[in-house]
């Protein structure tokens, strides 16, 4: 009931807020109140009604009450006074209502002239309406006004005005009064809800404000024009500025510009502000780094707030930046030697080149460092590397030494004079060479150095490094000196090698390899007993590539398997299909012999061609076997057990170990043509050839003289007890189609040679 009458109760602070509104109505009450009151008095006098006069006076008194209460509110009042003023206002309004209600009833009861009654009714209705509008929806007042004004007015109209007008007007007044009560209720509800919501929002803002003020991070909230609306204590302290005046918010850039702690808001202020303005217009987040006077660095980030404005967060990132800088130093340093690492070296190189410096780059590669590691362990290895790094760094003044990795170092020295760089390289090798004691272990390593000069040998880091690398490769290849300067010939050579490589690779991939066949003749019978298969690169438009190069590239690029399969798959059917018994001799690289599936692969190919294994022989070189004998042995032994022959190729051309010869499962020896060349005219050379032949005989091996180019050589071979020969004197290697001719002419040559000998 009370809720219905006066509406929901408000908390005291909101009630005070409601009362404070009364101040706004002072003027309207001050103007309209007396007018209404004096109009009533005039009507009362005109109606000659004492009662009406009394009620008019009452209304005037009520108006005065209300007017003074409103004025007191307007002039400012504390909470306690407000409560009293509210009461005075309510009381005043009730008095006005009673006064107006009374006067209406008494004037209408007297059945006075129509005009006075109408004016009076209007004044009462207007006051009723105004009071409802102005007395901001106090439902209690609306109810009181209904009782004191609407009721008497309506009843009086119905009773005293002529029918049917009186009853109609009376009903109208009731309806109007009821509407006024309802409106007052609704207005009051809306008003109080607004107040409650505003209060809740205010509380929320105060909580956020408190949180913001106590936040460790510096935060500022900006409006759309980047004026500072809120800035917390942390931000104020960080920037060293005074709290802002919220009524006159400063521009953020201005605040930063004036901040005493700030050296500069960004590395380039103007540029930053221009940049920021663009991003602000696009409502994109932006950031900057600010340097404080005490060397601290502040990361500032501004993010747009959905709806309006920006939030700016400032964070002290000094520690983080120091850590990153330290990390950067760390990742540029070799942890073992403390020298700059490859990354730092490349940076230094690029810097010098960009500056246009003239300098020399020396790439240092240690000799025998792997053995140090193997023999003395990695701990000693690391100490050796550290010692060498130190020696390189201190070998001369102003050297920049870096460890590129493993046993590779680089040194940058001022000046691009070749002779000076060469002298420095010599000095570096000499200091590296010094033996050093590590505990018990005395360690000595050598080095090779490749030199490139900047800017002649490369204007960008990568190019200069490649030049020095080529020089280093050459230095390692040439025995003795260990130092090599980059030259354009080196580059051309390497370019040519690269060209050959790529052509060989594509030829092997495309299977563009042919096979040439060279007969091997048995002089005793004058018959060809075997054909040696020799790989031939099928020429394209470029420079010819020799079989030696072809094989070398295939070995270097892991393509020997491809080469072997190409040769065997062509040669086996050719030899099997000759129509007469013939053996196939095949050259095998050490990499072939190491291949795990070799035996199966070879057998499959032989089966396919219908060539029994006993008709195949593999030619292997001793130099090849030197590097990886044990790895090859299993395959060789298995092949031998299947009936495949094994011949030692190029015997006498390289290093020979008699002990190894005895150990290996070989059954033939091909004596190198180099032992035969010129031997017929040089007794000493002929003797060496004979010694080699005797050795083979004494080991019980089948002997072949290869590279036989003349009758004299053929005779020498024969006289040394060798009757199996191969060489240009009999037949050069020929293509498959010409095998029959080649065999025929070789056999003819052999027989002619024999006849010649028999005749002499
Ligand atoms: P190699 O096994 O010693 O082959 C003999 C080489 O001497 C052949 O050279 C042949 O053409 C050449 N020759 C033959 N008779 C005479 C002569 O009377 N005088 C002179 N001066 N030379 C003669 P080619 O064909 O250039 O082969 C070179 C090397 O390439 C071969 O030497 C062999 O080591 C290797 N090779 C060739 N084909 C293959 C192959 O299919 N696989 C493997 N792994 N190596 C192969
Ligand atoms: Ca051979
Ligand atoms: Ca040979």
């Amino acid at each position: 009931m009370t809720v219905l009458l006066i509406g929901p109760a408000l908390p005291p602070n909101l009630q005070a807020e409601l009362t404070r509104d009364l101040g706004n109505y002072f003027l309207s009450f001050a103007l309209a109140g007396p007018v209404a009151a004096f109009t009533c008095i005039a009507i009362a006098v005109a109606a000659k009604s004492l009662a009406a006069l009394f009620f008019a006076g009452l209304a005037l008194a009520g108006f005065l009450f209300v007017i003074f209460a409103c004025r007191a509110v307007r002039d400012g009042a504390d909470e306690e006074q407000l409560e009293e003023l509210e009461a005075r206002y309510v009381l005043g309004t009730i008095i006005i209502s009673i006064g107006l209600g009374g006067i209406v009833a008494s004037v209408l009861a007297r059945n006075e002239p129509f005009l006075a009654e109408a004016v009076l009714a209007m004044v009462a209705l207007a006051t009723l309406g105004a009071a409802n509008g102005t007395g901001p929806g106090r439902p209690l007042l609306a109810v009181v006004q209904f009782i004191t004004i609407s009721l008497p007015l309506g009843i009086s109209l119905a009773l005293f005005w002529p029918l049917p007008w009186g009853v109609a007007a009376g009903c109208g007044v009731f309806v109007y009064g009821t509407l006024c009560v309802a409106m007052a209720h609704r207005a009051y509800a809306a008003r109080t809800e607004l107040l409650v919501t505003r209060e809740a929002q205010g509380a929320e803002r105060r909580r956020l404000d408190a949180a913001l003020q106590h936040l460790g991070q510096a935060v500022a909230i900006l409006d759309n024009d980047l004026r500072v609306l809120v800035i917390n204590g942390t931000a104020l302290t960080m920037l060293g500025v005074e709290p802002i005046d919220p009524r006159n918010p400063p521009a953020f850039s201005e605040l930063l510009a004036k901040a005493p702690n700030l050296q500069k808001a960004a590395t380039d202020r103007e540029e930053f502000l221009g940049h920021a303005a663009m991003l602000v217009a696009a409502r994109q987040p932006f950031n900057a780094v600010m340097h404080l006077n005490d060397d601290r660095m502040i990361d500032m980030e501004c993010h747009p707030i959905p709806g309006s404005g920006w939030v700016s967060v400032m964070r002290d990132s000094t520690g983080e930046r120091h850590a990153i800088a330290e990390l950067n130093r760390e990742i540029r340093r070799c942890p073992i030697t403390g020298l700059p690492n490859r990354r730092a070296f490349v940076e230094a190189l690029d810097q010098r080149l960009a500056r246009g410096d003239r300098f020399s780059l020396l790439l240092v590669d240690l000799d025998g460092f792997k053995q140090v590691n193997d023999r003395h362990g990695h701990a000693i290895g690391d100490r050796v590397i550290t010692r060498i790094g130190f020696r390189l760094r201190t070998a001369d003044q102003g050297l920049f030494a870096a460890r590129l990795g493993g046993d590779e170092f680089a040194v940058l020295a001022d000046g691009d004079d070749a002779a000076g760089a060469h002298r420095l390289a010599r000095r570096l090798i000499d200091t590296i060479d010094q033996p050093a004691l590590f505990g018990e272990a005395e360690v000595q390593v050598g080095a090779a150095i490749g030199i490139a000069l900047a800017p002649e040998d490369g204007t960008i880091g990568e190019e200069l490094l490649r030049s020095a690398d080529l020089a280093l490769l050459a230095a390692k290849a040439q025995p003795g000196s260990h130092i090599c300067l980059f030259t354009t010939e080196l580059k051309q050579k390497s370019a040519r090698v690269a060209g050959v490589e790529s052509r060989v690779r594509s030829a092997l991939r495309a299977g563009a390899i042919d096979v040439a066949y060279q007969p091997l003749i048995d002089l005793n019978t004058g018959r060809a007993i075997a054909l040696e298969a020799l790989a031939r690169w099928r020429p394209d438009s470029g420079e010819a590539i020799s079989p030696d190069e072809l094989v070398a590239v295939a070995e270097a690029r892991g393509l020997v398997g491809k080469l072997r399969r190409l040769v065997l798959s062509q040669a086996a059917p050719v030899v099997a299909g000759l129509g007469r018994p013939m053996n196939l001799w095949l050259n095998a690289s050490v990499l072939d012999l190491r291949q795990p599936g070799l035996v199966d692969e070879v057998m499959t190919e032989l089966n396919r061609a219908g060539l029994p294994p006993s008709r195949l022989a593999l030619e292997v070189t001793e130099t090849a076997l030197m590097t990886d004998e044990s790895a090859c042995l299993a395959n060789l032994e298995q092949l031998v057990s299947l009936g495949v022959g094994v011949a030692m190729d190029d015997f006498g051309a390289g290093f020979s170990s008699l002990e190894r010869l005895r150990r290996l499962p070989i059954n033939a020896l091909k004596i190198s043509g180099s032992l035969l060349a010129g031997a017929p005219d040089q007794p000493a050379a002929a003797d060496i050839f004979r010694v080699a032949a005797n050795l083979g005989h004494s080991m019980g091996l089948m002997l072949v003289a290869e590279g036989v180019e003349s009758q004299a050589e053929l005779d020498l071979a024969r006289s040394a007890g060798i009757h199996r020969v191969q060489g240009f004197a009999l037949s050069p290697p020929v293509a498959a189609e010409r095998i029959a001719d080649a065999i025929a002419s070789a056999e003819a040559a052999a027989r002619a040679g024999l006849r010649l000998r028999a005749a002499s």
Side-chain angles (χ1 to χ4, degrees):
M1 188 63 191
T2 22
V3 172
L4 197 71
L5 282 184
I6 37 177
L10 280 177
N13 60 331
L14 295 190
Q15 181 58 56
E17 186 103 346
L18 197 67
T19 307
R20 221 170 256 133
D21 271 355
L22 291 177
N24 300 330
Y25 300 114
F26 164 69
L27 265 185
S28 30
F29 277 122
L31 291 177
V35 172
F38 286 116
T39 311
C40 290
I41 291 172
I43 291 170
V45 171
K48 296 192 191 70
S49 161
L50 252 181
L53 199 61
F54 165 75
F55 282 118
L58 204 61
L60 180 62
F63 273 122
L64 290 178
F65 243 89
V66 167
I67 291 167
F68 283 110
C70 288
R71 204 188 67 175
V73 170
R74 194 195 63 174
D75 293 348
D78 59 32
E79 211 130 299
E80 226 164 276
Q81 290 168 323
L82 282 177
E83 210 172 309
E84 186 201 318
L85 290 172
E86 172 78 22
R88 270 163 59 185
Y89 168 77
V90 170
L91 186 63
T93 316
I94 292 174
I95 292 173
I96 294 172
S97 304
I98 294 171
L100 288 178
I103 194 173
V104 166
S106 42
V107 170
L108 284 177
R110 290 184 70 96
N111 215 355
E112 276 303 316
F114 183 73
L115 186 67
E117 288 172 11
V119 170
L120 194 64
M122 271 159 50
V123 170
L125 288 176
T127 314
L128 178 61
N132 264 304
T134 52
R138 283 164 179 77
L140 173 66
L141 293 184
V143 172
V144 169
Q145 283 168 339
F146 182 81
I147 296 166
T148 54
I149 302 178
S150 309
L151 226 48
L153 181 61
I155 293 169
S156 306
L157 283 173
L159 284 181
F160 305 121
W161 271 19
L163 278 168
W165 306 112
V167 173
C171 289
V173 168
F174 278 138
V175 172
Y176 178 61
T178 317
L179 279 179
C180 283
V181 172
M183 266 154 46
H185 256 288
R186 188 151 331 139
Y188 180 75
R191 174 78 188 148
T192 46
E193 194 182 302
L194 193 75
L195 283 176
V196 170
T197 315
R198 224 172 58 194
E199 169 65 12
Q201 282 175 344
E204 179 79 25
R205 229 207 19 241
R206 283 191 296 279
R207 276 196 294 275
L208 282 179
D209 233 30
L212 204 62
Q213 290 305 334
H214 292 102
L215 200 66
Q217 250 179 6
V219 176
I221 295 176
L222 319 173
D223 67 7
N224 263 337
D225 302 323
L226 297 190
R227 276 188 311 244
V228 185
L229 300 179
V230 178
I231 182 163
N232 71 355
T234 315
L236 295 176
T237 325
M238 181 180 274
L239 302 174
V241 291
E242 294 292 310
I244 57 160
D245 173 7
R247 277 164 307 178
N248 183 22
F252 193 39
S253 56
E254 214 174 281
L255 183 91
L256 295 179
K258 286 201 204 120
N261 284 359
L262 226 58
Q263 244 168 20
K264 35 193 167 131
T267 328
D268 188 331
R269 229 184 108 75
E270 293 310 308
E271 195 185 307
F272 165 68
L273 287 179
H275 193 88
M278 267 162 54
L279 290 164
V280 166
R283 290 201 66 73
Q284 293 287 331
F286 61 98
N287 58 328
V289 179
M290 306 187 293
H291 298 258
L292 296 191
N293 297 346
D294 57 4
D295 275 344
R296 276 187 302 154
M297 271 176 283
I298 306 298
D299 268 349
M300 184 188 77
E301 285 177 27
C302 291
H303 294 277
I305 301 172
S308 78
W310 297 78
V311 59
S312 166
V313 180
M314 288 156 276
R315 206 165 46 87
D316 185 342
S317 58
T318 319
E320 216 169 282
R321 277 167 198 279
H322 282 326
I324 290 172
E326 176 60 20
L327 199 69
N328 265 332
R329 263 196 299 283
E330 240 4 89
I331 59 174
R332 283 174 171 69
R333 186 159 51 197
C334 156
I336 294 168
T337 58
L339 288 181
N341 62 9
R342 179 179 284 272
R343 176 195 286 246
F345 168 74
V346 169
E347 283 171 4
L349 189 63
D350 286 340
Q351 263 169 24
R352 288 188 187 215
L353 286 167
R355 278 203 305 261
D357 287 1
R358 310 187 78 84
F359 62 96
S360 2
L361 160 59
L362 291 82
L363 272 191
V364 182
D365 189 87
L366 302 185
D367 264 350
F369 178 66
K370 188 179 176 302
Q371 286 87 308
V372 174
N373 264 335
D374 291 348
R375 196 170 308 151
H376 304 290
H378 285 272
I380 296 282
D382 285 354
R383 288 172 64 190
V384 171
I385 280 286
T386 309
R387 177 80 57 94
I388 289 173
F390 179 78
R391 286 176 182 174
L392 285 178
R393 185 161 41 176
T394 53
D396 207 344
Q397 272 181 354
L399 293 184
F400 177 93
R403 182 179 179 209
L404 302 189
D407 57 355
E408 208 179 49
F409 292 87
V411 174
L412 297 180
D414 292 338
D416 62 343
D417 128 66
H422 203 280
R423 278 196 301 277
L424 174 63
R426 169 77 22 232
R427 215 162 46 245
L428 293 183
I429 287 187
D430 289 345
T431 83
I432 292 172
D433 238 354
Q434 302 290 318
L437 264 185
F438 295 94
E440 295 287 280
E442 194 196 60
V443 174
Q444 183 175 18
V445 290
I449 294 185
I451 306 170
L453 307 175
E456 299 91 290
D457 301 341
T459 46
I460 57 169
E462 220 173 287
E463 189 190 0
L464 194 68
L465 257 175
R466 206 174 324 120
S467 301
D469 229 1
L470 284 178
L472 178 61
L473 272 180
K476 287 204 275 195
Q478 64 188 228
S481 132
H482 303 297
I483 298 173
C484 185
L485 261 159
F486 173 79
T487 57
T488 42
E489 290 82 68
L490 278 182
K491 194 169 168 179
Q492 282 157 4
K493 201 173 126 196
S494 105
R496 198 191 150 263
V497 167
V500 166
E501 270 197 25
S502 84
R503 287 164 67 206
V504 165
R505 275 211 301 271
S506 52
L508 281 170
R509 290 225 175 83
I513 299 294
D514 295 330
V515 181
Y517 302 85
Q518 187 176 31
L520 197 159
I521 307 291
D522 183 341
L523 295 178
N524 283 348
T525 61
R527 302 270 294 165
I529 53 166
L531 288 170
E532 177 178 2
L534 292 158
R536 287 289 176 269
W537 168 75
R538 193 180 300 153
D540 57 15
S541 50
E543 201 182 327
I545 295 172
S546 75
D548 286 309
E549 270 179 307
L550 178 72
V551 172
V553 172
E555 285 184 339
R557 296 290 160 211
L559 292 166
V560 273
K562 187 100 195 154
L563 177 66
R564 174 183 70 236
R565 282 187 289 274
L566 282 172
V567 172
L568 181 60
S569 63
Q570 287 180 63
V574 165
V575 172
L578 275 180
R580 56 179 276 189
M582 187 64 66
N583 290 335
L584 169 63
W585 289 42
L586 206 65
N587 292 287
S589 134
V590 65
L591 296 176
D592 288 322
L593 296 175
R594 263 199 319 214
Q595 188 63 43
L598 177 76
V599 178
D600 286 346
E601 184 196 301
V602 169
M603 294 314 288
T604 311
E605 207 54 66
L606 292 180
N607 278 339
R608 188 178 301 154
L611 198 69
S614 57
R615 300 260 297 274
L616 178 72
L618 287 191
E619 301 187 10
V620 302
T621 59
E622 207 185 349
T623 27
L625 285 172
M626 267 168 64
T627 52
D628 233 336
E629 186 186 315
S630 54
C632 304
L633 221 55
N635 269 334
L636 278 181
E637 276 164 356
Q638 209 183 334
L639 286 168
V640 168
S641 72
L642 289 166
V644 175
V646 177
M648 180 62 73
D649 202 355
D650 296 338
F651 180 71
F655 306 98
S656 273
S657 150
L658 300 182
E659 197 259 334
R660 187 183 304 116
L661 271 190
R662 223 187 43 217
R663 203 171 49 228
L664 288 172
I666 53 173
N667 35 40
L669 208 58
K670 290 183 86 172
I671 298 178
S672 168
S674 61
L675 290 190
L676 207 52
D681 308 322
Q682 297 167 13
D687 284 345
I688 292 177
F689 181 82
R690 282 196 195 90
V691 168
N694 286 338
L695 191 78
H697 285 307
S698 64
M699 290 173 84
L701 297 172
M702 175 205 283
L703 291 181
V704 178
E706 65 172 2
V708 178
E709 292 183 353
S710 65
Q711 190 61 48
E713 287 174 8
L714 191 74
D715 291 341
L716 177 59
R718 242 191 109 77
S719 70
I722 301 177
H723 57 94
R724 292 181 185 86
V725 291
Q726 200 185 15
F728 293 165
L730 299 142
S731 166
V734 297
E737 316 80 73
R738 295 188 41 229
I739 289 177
D741 294 345
I743 288 177
S745 63
E747 287 178 343
R751 281 195 292 273
L754 291 179
R755 263 200 305 280
L756 277 174
R757 232 181 68 82
S760 62

